[in-house]
Amino acid sequence: MRRILAHPILDVEKPKVVKFFFEGKELEAFEGETIAAALVANGVDVFGRTEHSRPRGFYCAIGKCSSCLMIVDGVSNVRSCITLVKEGMQVKRQIGRGEITW
Amino acid sequence: MVKTDFLIIGGGPAGLSAAIETGKRNIKTLVIDEGVELGGQLVKQTHKFFGHEGFYASVRGFEIAKKLVSQLNENVVIMKQTTVTGIYEDVITAYDREKDSVIEIEPKYILISVGASERFIPFENNHLPGVYGAGAVQTLMNQFRVLPGKRILMIGSGNIGLIVSYQLLQAGAQVKAIVEIADKVGGYQVHAAKVKRFGVPILLRHTIKKAIGEEKVEGAVIGQVDDRFNIIPGTEREFAVDVICVAVGLVPSVELAQMAGVKIEYIPELGGYVPYRDREMRTNIKNIFVAGDLAGIEEATTAMIEGRIAGLVVARELTGTDQPDLERMQQELIEFRSGPFSDKVRKGLERFFSQQIVSYSKDGQKDLGPTGKLRPIIECYENIPCNPCQTSCPSGAIDVPGNINSLPIVDYSKCTGCGICVMKCPGLAIFMVQENFQPGKDLVVLPYEFLPLPEKGQKVIALDRDGKDVAQAEVLKVIKSANKTNLIHIVVPAGLAQKVRSFRIPQKADSLVCRCEEITVEEIEKAIDEGYTDYEELKRYLRIGMGPCGGRTCRTITLGILSKKTGKSLKEISCGTFRPPSMPVKFDSIIKGEIEHEK
Ligand code: SF4
Ligand code: SF4
Ligand code: FES
């Protein structure tokens, strides 16, 4: 677990738990957190791979660098760092540029 | 089509400040923000701000965000999780991620206050997961309460690097070192002092060479640089870390401004490419304004003032009435930017319009006060725009003469020793001391923002300004403060009042498993609880067995703990691989050997 359970400045409330799927595996997240935060909390560091198969994590966490693109509910190129995790969401690693969906 | 008088793109300190001003004056204002929470980067700032009361000095960033949001009125419409995707000649488009739909907006006036993005730097393997921008680490830990790793290497000693290092310590991580390529610390001394007194080394004239790891960061190699910033061969050293945090600056996000036709200029002092604007934050396009980091990398206080200026100018034009606050805000900005830390910004802004400064006093406190009296010692030696010490003192004993850029001076005859200034100082630069408080003992009062809080009567280890152990001390009193900067009174041996500036709570006796990397039974048990149930996994996660002994001491103990915790017998557990060399050998002798044996 990488959750901060006590903090000298911030209150640590107990938020509602939601379940989502990462690469088909069920994981727990907190309501109101981003996909990126939920994944890191679950010990997932590799968010995808580049076209040349390099593992890729996320970098800026505020939607500006596009390092965190993932496939969310079948849609490629979703910025996982500014997209909130939702109950039942299917999150997958994206490799390369991702598929086009309409 | 959504019509509005004033569209603000970006709800950070600049955008919100503008919206407060126009909302107050009955102007229909729409704020569009990408994030999940308004406040921009304020929401992840857990430190108290510098500046003066009018701009929330001594209030923590995330609380400032709440205060700003609470001042918005019904004239202000907010759209969160929405990205402005394009600014065209006749319309602006925005994508609402929640509703998954695109809307079109037609505003009369526009403020672009979208901030900046993390600067990136090249080094080997910098794509690896675990390399984060400093803002990302802050977002994760302070907004979402998730720690990206336990052992951190910080690159960059500007204010962001220093602040994030301190916040990582508060969240329970270990900051192995702060690496700075220049020959002096980039940020405020008071911020640097905060991390130094917990023993974090700041390595000047050093830079990162590469990240180590296959799938994610497992370490980093740094080295000392020469005058041309190249690493001097032979000075490399390795740190075992799981996060490399890059705090080397920010780049203004000028895309939207440029799309809108705003003139963009390259001004390195302001962070790179920035939009042209005048004193009123107006660009070369009459109805488009910019404010905040997008207009030049500074800090949140100046962003708030710039936002208010933009909002007031828009209000003046839309309502056709003069705004007396406008001039006052412009004056505030001049005062904030008068100090030495704004030299660069002023030089950059000179390219757009001439700069003014107000003068301030550089003479700080000289005497250390009447020995034996309980009194504050102010260790704030730089002209930073800040004065909460002065405004917080109920007896008027502290003076920051002239304006907020001057250095604080204490009049010890007026001071009652109440300790409020210690609690309020955002730089945690004020301490209280009393020599010979008891025979053979001095008293030191320290600001403390860590968990756990020590208890009265507890024995702690007193540390000096560099985080080095200096003596055993005893906690006399713990005063909890509503603003979370608690006051801890500790009793130290006489003669140390001017030396002790921090303390640590001694660890309970640990039992070491790995002597090379200093890994304890508790750490291994915790890692197994976290789901690392394979020896090789533990090795990579904790670096157990990766020291020079090659696991001779720790391997069997670790396997034993694994077996006990997982309920599997030792037979079922893989003992992991052994890699050469079996003992450390000098590179030199390997190379020499080859040559000599061939002879
Ligand atoms: S200890 Fe109290 S009285 Fe003395 S300078 Fe600080 S705030 Fe003022
Ligand atoms: S001593 Fe005063 S001026 Fe210096 S950081 Fe603290 S509050 Fe600000
Ligand atoms: S991490 Fe940079 S866009 Fe998501």
Side-chain angles (χ1 to χ4, degrees), chain B residues 414-426:
Chain B
K414 288 190 194 161
C415 170
T416 60
C418 71
I420 290 176
C421 54
V422 184
M423 240 180 282
K424 283 288 169 95
C425 168

Side-chain angles (χ1 to χ4, degrees), chain A residues 2 4 11 49 59 64 82, chain B residues 114 119 133 136 145 147 215:
Chain A
R2 294 180 183 170
I4 298 168
D11 299 328
R49 286 183 183 275
Y59 186 68
K64 302 231 181 188
I82 55 167
Chain B
V114 290
R119 194 178 282 283
R145 319 280 196 273
L147 209 50
E215 285 292 291

Side-chain angles (χ1 to χ4, degrees), chain B residues 508-544:
Chain B
K508 62 172 171 27
D510 287 324
S511 24
L512 282 190
V513 174
C514 166
R515 304 169 71 98
C516 306
E517 296 271 333
E518 224 186 309
I519 295 157
T520 64
V521 175
E522 290 75 22
E523 279 178 284
I524 296 172
E525 289 179 338
K526 219 170 129 236
I528 298 172
D529 289 337
E530 284 171 23
Y532 297 89
T533 51
D534 177 87
Y535 181 75
E536 283 297 305
E537 265 176 16
L538 280 175
K539 187 162 151 188
R540 249 164 290 167
Y541 181 56
L542 290 176
R543 290 186 71 86
I544 185 120

Side-chain angles (χ1 to χ4, degrees), chain A residues 31-75:
Chain A
E31 194 175 69
E33 71 184 354
T34 57
I35 298 170
L39 287 175
V40 174
N42 278 285
V44 176
D45 294 296
V46 181
F47 277 40
R49 286 183 183 275
T50 63
E51 267 172 283
H52 303 100
S53 199
R54 292 193 169 101
R56 184 156 80 172
F58 72 95
Y59 186 68
C60 77
I62 54 165
K64 302 231 181 188
C65 76
S66 291
S67 185
C68 63
L69 300 181
M70 299 188 86
I71 306 172
V72 176
D73 289 334
V75 180

Side-chain angles (χ1 to χ4, degrees), chain B residues 11-12 16 31 42 89 118 130 158 175 193 225 256 291 343 363 431 461 520 580:
Chain B
L16 290 179
V31 180
L42 286 176
E89 230 162 277
E118 294 276 355
V175 180
V225 297
L256 288 175
D343 280 351
D363 298 324
F431 309 88
I461 295 156
T520 64

Side-chain angles (χ1 to χ4, degrees), chain B residues 251-381:
Chain B
V251 190
S253 299
V254 294
E255 312 76 36
L256 288 175
Q258 212 260 359
M259 250 184 245
V262 172
K263 201 164 75 194
I264 306 291
E265 274 196 52
Y266 184 73
I267 305 183
E269 292 89 353
L270 299 180
Y273 289 97
V274 286
Y276 166 81
R277 46 49 175 265
D278 63 13
R279 269 178 229 279
E280 298 193 330
M281 307 313 295
R282 190 196 299 264
T283 66
N284 53 305
I285 299 184
K286 196 179 167 296
N287 65 338
I288 300 185
F289 294 74
V290 290
D293 274 352
L294 159 66
I297 306 297
E298 268 180 283
E299 31 76 54
T301 312
T302 46
M304 285 189 268
I305 307 176
E306 288 185 343
R308 291 177 72 162
I309 291 175
L312 288 165
V313 175
V314 169
R316 184 187 67 201
E317 310 226 331
L318 278 168
T319 61
T321 48
D322 255 5
Q323 299 298 331
D325 288 352
L326 182 57
E327 209 178 311
R328 191 169 61 85
M329 284 303 136
Q330 285 172 318
Q331 208 45 48
E332 287 276 7
L333 208 44
I334 290 170
E335 188 172 314
F336 264 91
R337 286 202 184 116
S338 287
F341 282 89
S342 295
D343 280 351
K344 246 174 70 182
V345 171
R346 286 198 312 270
K347 193 162 160 252
L349 284 175
E350 251 329 306
R351 296 267 293 269
F352 293 150
F353 49 88
S354 63
Q355 296 295 303
Q356 283 167 266
I357 51 168
V358 293
S359 64
Y360 47 83
S361 152
K362 293 186 178 117
D363 298 324
Q365 183 84 27
K366 297 240 164 50
D367 70 283
L368 292 174
T371 310
K373 176 178 168 174
L374 179 64
R375 66 199 191 280
I377 301 291
I378 303 189
E379 302 191 344
C380 173
Y381 311 117

